[in-house]
Structures are given as structure tokens and as C-alpha cells.
Amino acid sequence: MKLQRWLPLAVFGLVAALLAAGVWLSRNPDRDALPSPLIGKPAPAFRLPVLHEAGRLVTDADLRGSPYLLNVWGSWCPGCREEHGVLTRFAETRRVRVVGYNWKDERADALRWLEQFGNPYWVVLVDYEGHSAIEWGIYGAPETFLVDADGIVRWKHVGPMTDDTVREQLLPALDAVGG
Amino acid sequence: MRTFVLALLWTVLFAAIPLPSAHAQAAQDPTPLEFVDPVEEKRFRGLIAELRCVMCQNQSLADSNAQIAHDLRREVLVLMRRGLGDAEIRQHLVDRYGEFVLYRPRVGAATFVLWFGPALLLLGGGVVVWRIVRSRSRDGVVPHDDTQEW
């Protein structure tokens, strides 16, 4: 009988805990970011033109042999501007090749953007149609993938990287792949 | 103490409001899709209503006007014309974007609570009510209570 008296309170406590957990979980600013199903799987095959050299195509096989960072960006993307300094500082350490993935951008806009803010990329690939981006599961910019020497996707970050992201996630991931 | 409670209240209130995301999408004017016949269009509409826009997340591919939704709709049509079945097309997108793209999640370990939670909750509530009713009827007539004045 005593137990039944406390039942409503217990239920209330349970519901309150559930709501608190919801609020707690929603504090994460990356909560809308989707986990990539590609982690641990081979990077999709691609064959993309190079921004700065008309007529040159780069394939996934061309990039194999050592790890690389694939950074999705566009001149239309405010988050990419925000991330640019972080990416530039990382690229200057020359630990891995930083490959630019210029997504759904006008060529002239992309070139102007790089001239204005500096070009941290080893090479910039162009995906104007966005078809190859679907193979990568790209749904916005910036997004950043770490691919190891064997062409396996090891890490992904959605949204602008910060210095904290680089220090706490990217560098350990790089250590793990021996980059 | 009062300021603390107020601060807590504000935190709770505003934690629930989504901040504008820095993760952006491209904006381009897409050409509308064209269908070969009404059967194809009907199948296409059915499919995109069940797939989620990965960028906007609370809209289906059919409802969303985001660039990535345009691209994914085009991809769905391409896959249809390549002769893939509905299940294969869904799997194709799940392989790239994760289970999240399905508006109706598949039954599995991770979605078990989602699918059966409400029913289990209802069942639990039913059992509680049944037990209360049974214990009351077993007690029979409500015993005379001396504290009652009438």
C-alpha cells in the first residue's frame, strides 16, 4: 500500500529525469551532425577535375599511398570562412596533404575566394554538379574527412573545425593512422 | 539563490532553442525534374516522401527546398531509371548517409524503444490500473472509517 502511494512521485521523477536528459543532450552544438556510415570503409571512387589546372583529373587512386584530409568548402559557405584560419594553421604543419573539395561553386568565385583568404590546399578538386558528393554522404559545407594511406575513411567532422577540434580529434586520429 | 534559480530556468529554456548552424548549404536554381509517365512519378513521390532531408532533418525529401534535397531527389530518380527497386534505393542512401535518411526507421536494436516503447508503456500502465482495481474489489466493501463524519 505504501508503495502505491509513492508511485506517482516515482513516475514524476522518471519523467523529469527523461526531460533533463533531453535538455542535457541538446547542449551539444554538433547534435544535428550525422555520424558517417563511411567510417572504417573505403572512400568512394571519384574522378574530379582540378580547380587550378584545366583538363587535369584526379582519382581516388591518385591520392592513395599516404593519408590525406579532404575538406569540403564553397565560396558561398560562411562556415568555411570561419574555419579557414584553423585549416590554414593545420595545413602549415604539413603533417598530411590537405585536399580541397570545392562543392557546387562557380569557378571564378572559388578562385577569387582563395586569392582573398589564402590557399591552404595541396590540391583543390571541383564537384560542381554534386554527384560525387552524394557518394561521400556530404550534405553541407564545411565537412572534413580523414582518409588513411589505404584509402579508408577514418574520421569525419561536420561543420567548421575549431582549434579544439584539431587538437582533440584530428591529431589523435592522425596519430592512429600514422600520418 | 533567486538569481541561481533564474539562471537555471533561462538555461533550461534556451538550451532547447536551436542555434543557427554554421554548416551551410549551397543555393542554386535547379531545373525541375521531368517524368516519363505518371507511374514513374507516383513511385518517385512515394519514395521521396519516405526519405529525410539530411540538411533540414525535420522535412522529407519531398517537402524540402534545400539544395541537397534537390540533389538527392535527382539521385533517387537516376537510381529508379537504373532499374533499382525501392528497397535498394533506400539502402543506397542509408549506405551513404546512415539510417537517419529513413523517415520510418527499421526495427533494430537501436530503434527498439522507438518502435515498442509506447506500447510497453501502455501495457505497464494497464497492469498498474488492473492491479489497483483488483486489490480494491478484493477488499470488497470499503471498510467503515471512523474519521468520516457521515
Side-chain angles (χ1 to χ4, degrees), chain B residues 65-81:
Chain B
N65 206 31
Q67 181 61 38
I68 186 69
H70 282 287
D71 288 1
L72 288 176
R73 283 200 290 266
R74 197 169 297 268
E75 176 86 358
V76 167
L77 192 60
V78 167
L79 294 174
M80 275 172 58
R81 288 184 181 162

Side-chain angles (χ1 to χ4, degrees), chain B residues 42-95:
Chain B
K42 191 168 175 239
R43 189 186 154 207
F44 175 76
R45 299 250 172 257
L47 260 172
I48 60 172
E50 272 187 35
L51 293 166
R52 189 191 301 269
C53 168
V54 277
M55 188 75 209
C56 8
Q57 303 199 357
N58 54 357
Q59 285 179 306
S60 72
L61 275 189
D63 300 330
S64 173
N65 206 31
Q67 181 61 38
I68 186 69
H70 282 287
D71 288 1
L72 288 176
R73 283 200 290 266
R74 197 169 297 268
E75 176 86 358
V76 167
L77 192 60
V78 167
L79 294 174
M80 275 172 58
R81 288 184 181 162
R82 217 184 278 163
L84 270 71
D86 288 5
E88 285 172 303
I89 292 175
R90 276 189 225 110
Q91 189 57 46
H92 182 90
L93 289 175
V94 167
D95 288 344

Side-chain angles (χ1 to χ4, degrees), chain A residues 23-98:
Chain A
V23 169
W24 185 256
L25 287 173
S26 72
R27 282 164 63 256
N28 177 7
D30 290 335
R31 64 183 180 276
D32 290 336
L34 300 185
S36 176
L38 285 180
I39 305 287
K41 293 193 184 132
F46 59 85
R47 188 181 175 82
L48 293 168
V50 172
L51 180 68
H52 292 91
E53 282 173 69
R56 186 182 152 204
L57 292 170
V58 168
T59 66
D60 51 313
D62 294 336
L63 292 174
R64 228 163 276 169
S66 62
Y68 63 94
L69 198 71
L70 189 89
N71 177 249
V72 182
W73 69 283
S75 64
W76 45 265
C77 151
C80 303
R81 174 76 198 86
E82 195 182 304
E83 183 185 64
H84 199 70
V86 176
L87 196 69
T88 304
R89 277 191 292 283
F90 173 75
E92 278 165 0
T93 65
R94 296 189 170 272
R95 275 196 68 169
V96 283
R97 298 166 294 170
V98 179

Side-chain angles (χ1 to χ4, degrees), chain A residues 4 7 23 26-27 31-38 76-79 82 103-105 128-131 133-143 158-160, chain B residues 11-12 15-19 21-28 54-55 57 67-68 71-72 74-75 78 82 92-98 100-101 128 131-132 135:
Chain A
Q4 273 179 16
L7 196 68
V23 169
S26 72
R27 282 164 63 256
R31 64 183 180 276
D32 290 336
L34 300 185
S36 176
L38 285 180
W76 45 265
C77 151
E82 195 182 304
W103 185 46
K104 300 190 92 71
D105 209 353
Y128 180 72
E129 289 293 323
H131 182 74
I134 291 177
E135 299 297 313
W136 281 89
I138 291 165
Y139 65 102
E143 282 184 21
V158 171
Chain B
T11 314
V12 168
I17 297 173
L19 296 165
S21 174
H23 189 229
Q25 54 188 24
Q28 272 170 23
V54 277
M55 188 75 209
Q57 303 199 357
Q67 181 61 38
I68 186 69
D71 288 1
L72 288 176
R74 197 169 297 268
E75 176 86 358
V78 167
R82 217 184 278 163
H92 182 90
L93 289 175
V94 167
D95 288 344
R96 284 152 186 79
Y97 290 94
F100 188 84
V101 295
V128 168
R131 285 189 54 177
I132 290 172
S135 72

